[in-house]
Amino acid sequence: MSRPAGRALVWLDRVETGLIAVLVLAMVLLAGAQIVLRNFFETGLGWADPLLRAMVLWTAMLGALAAARDDKHIGLDVLAHFVHGKTRRAMRVITLLFAAGISATMAWYGYGLVQLDFGGGNTIAGIPNWLIEAIIPFGFGLLALRFALRAFLPPRNEDMPVLAPELP
């Protein structure tokens, strides 16, 4: 990989991680404020609960992207622990390409959802619904791209334990 591309990826990783940290911190502070306001002052911020739900959506999608980036996503590849060599690599390619296909499908339908809400004018805490929902096609599109690219790269966690004994 070229130096500029490597630097760009490192920058992108840092931005992604920073966004997750900022969102989680903001959610904790906002939820804490809601708890204090409700329990001690019998009031609350009417816009906080819908905004917190939107922030959870964004945090979950960004977290999924970070997990896919680091090859630490949830995988249903139980059989891969019992095979080795080329068979294991082939299974990895198949499962990651399948995940890429599912993610691309989710991105397509998420785009349809955003289109439905684009002209509606509904907002959450002053933010248009379509803008909040935009993370769905964007995030799943990036997930599809990451899974497709990772399918042809070696796993980042090469030190995975092997459950099956080595055969002579």
Side-chain angles (χ1 to χ4, degrees):
M1 181 178 338
S2 69
R3 267 190 184 279
R7 281 196 303 259
L9 283 176
V10 167
W11 179 82
L12 182 62
D13 293 352
R14 287 182 180 162
V15 168
E16 202 172 68
T17 303
L19 267 173
I20 294 169
V22 167
L23 279 170
V24 169
L25 179 63
M27 285 190 312
V28 167
L29 292 175
L30 189 56
Q34 277 290 83
I35 291 169
V36 168
L37 287 171
R38 285 183 181 160
N39 288 336
F40 296 112
F41 300 105
E42 295 182 12
T43 186
L45 305 170
W47 50 267
D49 291 336
L51 183 61
L52 281 167
R53 286 192 294 273
M55 292 168 78
V56 167
L57 173 67
W58 275 70
T59 305
M61 190 56 72
L62 290 172
L65 285 167
R69 171 192 71 207
D70 296 335
D71 218 4
K72 294 183 179 177
H73 52 85
I74 295 173
L76 300 177
D77 55 353
V78 174
L79 294 178
H81 295 287
F82 298 103
V83 295
H84 304 286
K86 290 182 181 181
T87 306
R88 187 175 189 166
R89 283 190 290 277
M91 289 178 69
R92 175 178 164 75
V93 169
I94 291 167
T95 56
L96 286 174
L97 288 178
F98 180 75
I102 295 295
S103 297
T105 303
M106 293 294 292
W108 175 260
Y109 285 107
Y111 177 71
L113 174 69
V114 171
Q115 279 185 321
L116 285 174
D117 280 345
F118 184 70
N122 293 333
T123 64
I124 293 176
I127 303 168
N129 282 1
W130 68 268
L131 191 58
I132 292 170
E133 295 165 352
I135 191 64
I136 297 170
F138 181 75
F140 276 114
L142 284 178
L143 269 177
L145 179 62
R146 280 204 175 148
F147 284 140
L149 293 175
R150 296 284 326 144
F152 301 104
L153 296 172
R156 285 199 174 177
N157 52 356
E158 279 288 344
D159 56 344
M160 279 184 6
V162 177
L163 300 177
E166 293 287 334
L167 299 175

